[in-house]
Amino acid sequence: MDNLSVVVAGGGSAGHVEPALATADAVRRLRPDARVTALGTEKGLDTRLIPARGYPLELIPPVPLPRKPNADLARLPYRVVRSVRRTREVLREVGADVVVGFGGYVALPAYLAAASMRLPIVVHEANARAGIANKVGARFAREVLAAVPGSGLAGARVIGIPLRRAITDLDRAGLRAQAREHFGLDPQAPVLLVFGGSQGARSLNEAVSAAVPALTAAGVWVLHAHGPKNEPTVEAPGYVPVPYLERMDLAYAAADVALCRSGAMTVAEVSTVGLPAVYVPLPHGNGEQELNAKPVVDAGGGVIVPDAELTGEKVAELVTGLVEDPARLAATAEAARRSGHAGADETLARTVLDVAGHVGASATGRT
């Protein structure tokens, strides 16, 4: 078989980069001889995350898509042409057999370049509502996949979000003692994990600070990632504030309940590891964060609290109600786990190999 060359286009944010890299890892497991190249931009997390995972990064000019008519919209055609030209150069240089897009700034030029070269395209949509780039890409794609139903992409096959194996293979019970020691948490007490993304979330920070007295009085410890630019406003035994969580796997293993936003990656990870959650959708955008969490909540894996209704009293009530009822806590954890899609990475990788026409016996059992 010829060496397979796969190009993943998922740069710009962790929500695009992480699924792309998880898929790249799965492609390499199924086809160790495959060459995987990532497209990205100089902005965002691309230059840090992608090389650290061992993949060559090819930089292309980003194409941000304005949501409203403005000066950027007038410059869009020039930006698209310039970026597509550079992307075509990359695809030729690496001898691309297939392009896999995940939305975002680099996906649109990747789709247009691949279509102009008659290369097969696979689209994955992580959010509950597809963005413009993936709506365009789906028009040219051989396969369209999505994390949840109702993404707006016709005929999309629902597979979940590709996640790194450190998350999908996480043994929360087995790592519990190590994780508690790592963060300086009580080895036996129930633990609430609070995080609002890499920069924290003000409403979550304010609510958990107000809830700390009641939570710690009830014997609940709190591991709170407040964001590097935010300082905790409360001190109490059993309250452990940290600016940022470098080891999310250990944070998940240490926790019994999570309080978090409901971005697509957050929901996918929290549900896959089987962690009951209080989801607080970001109150901006077009409501996609609530839609991201809805399948997990409908399955019994957590609850949704609107941002405007989030208070310290509400947090304390919901969390203590769960941790003080072990049977309910266990049932919620199992419902969360069942609603996850731990095998999405390999499902997408096999689809990519099928589309590329380079699937060997190691990938599908066919010769």
Side-chain angles (χ1 to χ4, degrees):
M1 293 182 292
D2 296 332
N3 288 343
L4 173 67
S5 178
V6 177
V7 173
V8 295
S13 70
H16 295 124
V17 175
E18 288 293 349
L21 294 179
T23 302
D25 291 344
V27 167
R28 279 187 171 176
R29 286 195 302 273
L30 295 172
R31 281 287 304 270
D33 65 315
R35 175 183 183 181
V36 183
T37 305
L39 300 180
T41 73
E42 292 181 346
K43 298 180 179 180
L45 300 172
D46 305 1
T47 56
R48 181 167 64 87
L49 293 181
I50 293 172
R53 291 279 284 274
Y55 293 100
L57 170 64
E58 292 290 344
L59 298 176
I60 64 172
V63 181
L65 299 173
R67 293 183 180 271
K68 299 179 181 179
N70 54 27
D72 284 339
L73 184 61
R75 291 191 288 268
L76 184 61
Y78 166 74
R79 287 175 171 169
V80 170
V81 169
R82 183 179 59 149
S83 192
V84 168
R85 184 182 299 120
R86 171 58 187 150
T87 305
R88 284 171 57 91
E89 292 174 357
V90 172
L91 297 181
R92 284 194 292 266
E93 289 167 3
V94 303
D97 294 297
V98 60
V99 172
V100 192
F102 297 83
Y105 291 170
V106 301
L108 179 62
Y111 296 144
L112 296 177
S116 71
M117 297 171 67
R118 300 185 182 278
L119 292 174
I121 295 168
V122 176
V123 171
H124 181 273
E125 177 56 58
N127 290 298
R129 288 178 174 167
I132 295 175
N134 275 353
K135 287 181 178 179
V136 173
R139 294 175 177 270
F140 305 107
R142 301 277 183 90
E143 291 280 353
V144 180
L145 306 100
V148 296
S151 66
L153 300 181
R157 180 157 49 105
V158 176
I159 66 166
I161 297 179
L163 300 173
R164 61 193 189 278
R165 283 300 165 109
I167 297 300
T168 58
D169 293 346
L170 181 66
D171 180 0
R172 284 181 58 220
L175 278 177
R176 183 182 176 95
Q178 176 189 340
R180 295 289 181 92
E181 182 180 1
H182 177 82
F183 292 111
L185 300 165
D186 184 282
Q188 300 300 328
V191 171
L192 169 66
L193 168 64
V194 183
F195 64 102
S198 60
Q199 300 303 313
R202 186 175 64 179
S203 60
L204 269 63
N205 289 348
E206 292 174 350
V208 77
S209 296
V212 161
L215 290 170
T216 54
V220 179
W221 281 55
V222 180
L223 174 59
H224 179 197
H226 51 75
K229 295 183 179 180
N230 307 312
E231 292 295 330
T233 59
V234 63
E235 293 183 10
Y239 173 65
V240 181
V242 295
Y244 182 73
L245 291 165
E246 292 285 351
R247 291 290 304 272
M248 282 304 301
D249 55 336
L250 292 183
Y252 291 145
D256 296 287
V257 184
L259 172 66
C260 54
R261 290 297 193 197
S262 51
M265 284 296 296
T266 295
V267 174
E269 290 193 354
V270 169
S271 60
T272 295
V273 302
L275 189 59
V278 178
Y279 293 108
V280 186
L282 192 70
H284 309 299
N286 57 4
E288 67 269 15
Q289 283 215 353
E290 182 173 351
L291 295 174
N292 290 336
K294 194 172 185 301
V296 179
V297 172
D298 288 347
V303 297
I304 293 173
V305 177
D307 191 84
E309 298 177 16
L310 187 69
T311 64
E313 182 179 1
K314 187 77 169 178
V315 171
E317 175 190 346
L318 290 172
V319 173
T320 55
L322 265 178
V323 301
E324 291 175 357
D325 186 343
R328 181 182 166 210
L329 182 67
T332 306
E334 178 60 21
R337 187 194 62 77
R338 286 198 309 268
S339 68
H341 296 267
D345 58 339
E346 290 205 357
T347 299
L348 181 51
R350 290 179 187 278
T351 300
V352 171
L353 296 174
D354 277 327
V355 166
H358 280 269
V359 185
S362 63
T364 65
R366 296 200 303 263
T367 56

